[in-house]
Amino acid sequence: MHPKRTDKIATGIIYCLVAMVIMILIFLLGYILINGVPDISWHFLTSQAQSFSAGGGIRDQLFNSIYLLILTLIISFPIAIGAGIYLAEYAKDNWITDIIRTSIEVLSSLPSVVVGLFGYLLLVNQFHFGFSILSGAIALTFFNLPLLTRNIEESLNAVPNLQKEAGISLGLSEWKTITKIIIPEALPGILTGVILSSGRVFGEAAALIYTAGQSAPEVSYTNWNIFSASSFLNPMRPAETLAVHIWKVNTESVTPDAHIISAGSSAVLIIVILLFNLSARFIGNRIYKKITAAK
Amino acid sequence: MDDIQKKLQQSSKATRQERLGKSICYTCIGLIILLVACILYFIASKGIATFTRDHVNIWQFLTTSNWEPGNLDSKGRPMIGALPMIVTSFSVTLLAALVATPFAIGVAIFMTEISARNGAKFLQPVIELLVGIPSVVYGFIGLSLIVPFIRNIFGGTGFGILSGTLVLFVMVLPTITSLTVDSLKSVPMHYRQASLALGATRWQTIYKVILRAATPGILTAIIFGMARAFGEALAVQMVIGNALLMPKNLVSPASTLTSKLTTDIGNTVMGTLPNDALWSLALILLLMSLIFNMIVRFLGKRGNIKNAS
């Protein structure tokens, strides 16, 4: 066949493939939103889940998801930033660094169900944390750490070396240079990464089934005592998140309106994740404009 | 005198800060390594208990297809054969990668060679959003759309490898695409210029030069996608049917390693044989993830040598 014709055909096929992928996404989002949004009501968001009758809401699951996300970030962010600084600034090019990078790669490619099972083994059974928000948050930390570390390392590396040289030549210690010059400069990139990883944590379920548990006991939102079993702040209580809830009502529960609940919950989940994505994009763009002076 | 000497010999505030900061960073990195070591150790030690403590034959575990951990067979050995799950796991993984790869390569070519502007503007967000959709949502869509669809076309229950493949295909697509984009982007510009200067058409350049040069990178991308598909649990579990049978065809209910784990581990008692057997499945998952990792490293090294020479 004539090369020009092959070129045309190939280009056509590629356009088709691209169009199909875009259509898949539009279809997926459309399906979730069109099916789910009509089911979202104030009642749905603010009432308790029902196990045997229709009309249950997702109040506790929604709160648990958010609480778990915050706890996970509190635990994982400091470790990730320390590790990120190490990799970006201190790590030498030798076998130790090689081992470190390999272990981070291994950690990031572990199936989340394996991470969840490990959490079950170590936290729930060995440390006697039980099925609790804390166990869940630590398990999610394993899952979140490699992604966050790599993102922070990349953001730190993206800061021009001149900045560091200038800091050091002013007589600042290396640590001061890093904390006072490089980190502020890299902050936007780090922030974008944190928001994107929050989206992933928010929707994660496999690692949570056997760490945070699948039950959402009744909690009181007026009890601020963090040690009380019925307090909404107590990190030692079992907590079912939104994503786990969707999985459960579809596979194990006997709720008659499972389809409505999962459609509504999926829509809530997707909307939250869309918001995360949009805000990450927005922050990224704004910072890019600020740095490059492009209007 | 002593005072001055002390002052001079003492480390300065900046030095102390430096040391403290450094040690914090080292602790963090140490923590991560410790974590990985812990995971490997715990899962491995639980996983081999089936063979060391319960004296199950590894070969029997891997090659027979009866999974009834509570019962004994005619020779008095526990019936744990993981073959059906292993076969199903590999089938969905391979099929999903097979379906996703052409799409991924097409999109990646579009984003790097045909229209980088539109690629960055429209396709980048599409891919990010596909990554962002949680796996349970994929599972839910699979359950409420794909399963009935397949039931209507092929009969049966609709649960099975085909449904699993279709769900996983969308889930691994963004992974393979974004890594393929990276590897296409790393092909040096002068390759393209040289090829075009020789009078090759755009497709000839793409097919004969760029794709060839990027092959190790594309293979890495596919392996990463397969690793993700192999470890995916909930979405697959919701559409695969969870029947402990050797899969006969693409539309009969089956179960994967991950789906078996998620459904059963809560129903068995710690330390008993049925429970140990499940941990052995987790060990297989872990080992497979490590093997995928090693393949990626191997391919990466080969790719580097190629680019350097």
Side-chain angles (χ1 to χ4, degrees):
Chain A
M1 215 189 297
H2 199 270
K4 279 237 166 100
R5 238 172 108 195
T6 324
D7 184 60
K8 282 232 171 74
I9 293 172
T11 313
I13 292 174
I14 289 174
Y15 270 92
C16 282
L17 290 175
V18 169
M20 277 168 86
V21 170
I22 295 180
M23 263 154 58
I24 289 176
L25 178 81
I26 293 176
F27 174 75
L28 283 176
L29 288 183
Y31 180 80
I32 299 166
L33 293 178
I34 291 171
N35 266 299
V37 170
D39 297 328
I40 302 176
S41 61
W42 188 242
H43 172 78
F44 182 66
L45 290 177
T46 57
S47 64
Q48 255 190 328
Q50 304 285 337
S51 0
F52 302 108
S53 54
I58 54 166
R59 178 189 70 189
D60 299 333
Q61 283 77 12
L62 193 58
F63 174 76
N64 289 341
S65 289
I66 297 168
Y67 191 36
L68 196 64
L69 171 63
I70 295 172
L71 264 186
T72 306
L73 284 181
I74 291 177
I75 302 173
S76 57
F77 186 68
I79 304 178
I81 201 154
I85 292 176
Y86 173 84
L87 285 175
E89 308 292 338
Y90 292 125
K92 296 182 191 74
D93 204 9
N94 55 18
W95 61 274
I96 300 179
T97 313
D98 213 40
I99 290 181
I100 293 170
R101 284 189 200 281
T102 314
S103 23
I104 291 180
E105 257 167 49
V106 167
L107 194 59
S108 77
S109 65
L110 283 183
S112 60
V113 55
V114 170
V115 172
L117 288 174
F118 170 70
Y120 174 60
L121 206 58
L122 186 73
L123 304 166
V124 177
N125 282 333
Q126 209 90 0
F127 292 169
H128 301 292
F129 288 172
F131 289 126
S132 64
I133 297 187
L134 187 63
S135 302
I138 299 176
L140 284 184
T141 296
F142 302 158
F143 174 77
N144 202 16
L145 255 182
L147 305 167
L148 216 49
T149 305
R150 202 173 303 155
N151 163 262
I152 292 175
E153 186 200 348
E154 270 165 26
S155 310
L156 291 177
N157 276 336
V159 176
N161 236 350
L162 274 176
Q163 304 265 15
K164 192 175 177 185
E165 285 162 20
I168 303 249
S169 67
L170 283 173
L172 293 178
S173 68
E174 204 178 351
W175 180 245
K176 266 264 152 67
T177 317
I178 293 169
T179 49
K180 294 278 144 85
I181 299 176
I182 297 182
I183 291 185
E185 191 72 33
L187 208 56
I190 296 176
L191 212 61
T192 314
V194 170
I195 297 174
L196 283 178
S197 78
S198 303
R200 241 165 292 159
V201 168
F202 201 76
E204 173 58 34
L208 287 176
I209 294 178
Y210 291 110
T211 50
Q214 306 172 39
S215 58
E218 202 167 327
V219 289
S220 136
Y221 288 88
T222 48
N223 186 349
W224 287 80
N225 178 3
I226 203 163
F227 299 106
S228 153
S230 66
S231 165
F232 68 107
L233 286 175
N234 184 0
M236 301 310 286
R237 67 186 165 87
E240 180 191 46
T241 66
L242 205 52
V244 174
H245 191 57
I246 297 175
W247 176 75
K248 208 178 86 180
V249 296
N250 273 303
T251 51
E252 298 189 336
S253 94
V254 288
T255 317
D257 57 347
H259 190 86
I260 295 176
I261 294 177
S262 24
S265 312
S266 297
V268 172
L269 213 54
I270 291 293
I271 290 170
V272 171
I273 283 164
L274 278 177
L275 285 179
F276 278 140
N277 261 291
L278 286 177
S279 58
R281 193 156 272 277
F282 176 73
I283 291 174
N285 277 340
R286 251 186 94 150
I287 304 304
Y288 176 77
K289 275 183 190 152
K290 198 185 119 200
I291 291 175
T292 57
K295 281 271 168 328
Chain B
M1 205 50 190
D2 265 2
D3 243 22
I4 299 173
Q5 196 183 17
K6 215 172 155 192
K7 236 182 201 162
L8 281 175
Q9 288 177 341
Q10 216 179 24
S11 46
S12 71
K13 200 179 157 211
T15 316
R16 282 202 303 271
Q17 257 180 358
E18 174 83 32
R19 266 195 219 133
L20 182 73
K22 235 181 181 171
S23 51
I24 292 175
C25 290
Y26 280 73
T27 319
C28 291
I29 208 80
L31 217 61
I32 292 183
I33 296 185
L34 187 75
L35 216 80
V36 176
C38 256
I39 293 184
L40 297 183
Y41 170 75
F42 269 92
I43 305 273
S45 66
K46 277 297 258 184
I48 58 170
T50 319
F51 312 112
T52 55
R53 206 179 56 207
D54 303 316
H55 305 293
V56 173
N57 186 332
I58 292 192
W59 191 243
Q60 188 208 348
F61 179 75
L62 291 176
T63 54
T64 59
S65 54
N66 272 325
W67 183 272
E68 287 171 49
N71 301 329
L72 301 177
D73 66 2
S74 53
K75 286 176 198 146
R77 289 177 309 194
M79 289 199 268
I80 44 172
L83 190 64
M85 287 163 260
I86 297 174
V87 170
T88 314
S89 272
F90 275 103
S91 332
V92 283
T93 304
L94 284 173
L95 285 173
L98 218 61
V99 183
T101 305
F103 285 93
I105 293 182
V107 172
I109 290 177
F110 184 84
M111 285 172 77
T112 55
E113 312 299 328
I114 295 183
S115 176
R117 235 184 113 84
N118 282 330
K121 216 170 173 183
F122 297 111
L123 282 170
Q124 195 64 37
V126 166
I127 296 194
E128 277 168 23
L129 281 175
L130 282 176
V131 176
I133 296 178
S135 64
V136 277
V137 175
Y138 279 118
F140 166 62
I141 293 174
L143 196 61
S144 51
L145 268 180
I146 295 176
V147 170
F149 178 72
I150 289 186
R151 187 186 305 143
N152 286 337
I153 291 185
F154 298 101
T157 55
F159 292 100
I161 293 181
L162 187 58
S163 308
T165 303
L166 289 177
V167 169
L168 278 179
F169 145 65
V170 189
M171 297 184 70
V172 299
L173 182 63
T175 314
I176 304 185
T177 308
S178 53
L179 288 168
T180 306
V181 168
D182 289 346
S183 77
L184 291 184
K185 270 187 183 157
S186 70
V187 175
M189 204 36 160
H190 58 253
Y191 281 31
R192 298 181 178 86
Q193 290 160 344
S195 166
L196 291 173
L198 286 171
T201 61
R202 184 167 67 187
W203 175 246
Q204 282 172 329
T205 308
I206 293 171
Y207 184 68
K208 300 223 160 113
V209 180
I210 299 171
L211 283 183
R212 299 284 150 94
T215 304
I218 296 174
L219 284 178
T220 313
I222 297 171
I223 302 286
F224 262 113
M226 284 172 62
R228 181 159 187 222
F230 201 83
E232 176 47 49
L234 299 187
V236 177
Q237 193 247 338
M238 286 161 92
V239 299
I240 199 95
N242 300 308
L244 273 172
L245 303 167
M246 201 64 191
K248 286 190 286 292
N249 51 42
L250 294 185
V251 289
S252 68
S255 93
T256 61
L257 295 166
T258 49
S259 75
K260 186 73 199 151
L261 269 175
T262 34
T263 41
D264 268 20
I265 202 124
N267 305 328
T268 53
V269 182
M270 268 282 173
T272 58
L273 177 70
N275 188 266
D276 287 348
L278 288 173
W279 285 104
S280 302
L281 298 185
L283 182 60
I284 297 182
L285 269 180
L286 182 76
L287 290 178
M288 276 316 296
S289 150
L290 293 179
I291 290 173
F292 282 131
N293 237 296
M294 266 153 56
I295 299 177
V296 164
R297 293 213 126 209
F298 175 72
L299 285 173
K301 277 208 183 106
R302 265 189 51 194
N304 284 341
I305 294 165
K306 224 177 191 173
N307 279 346
S309 61

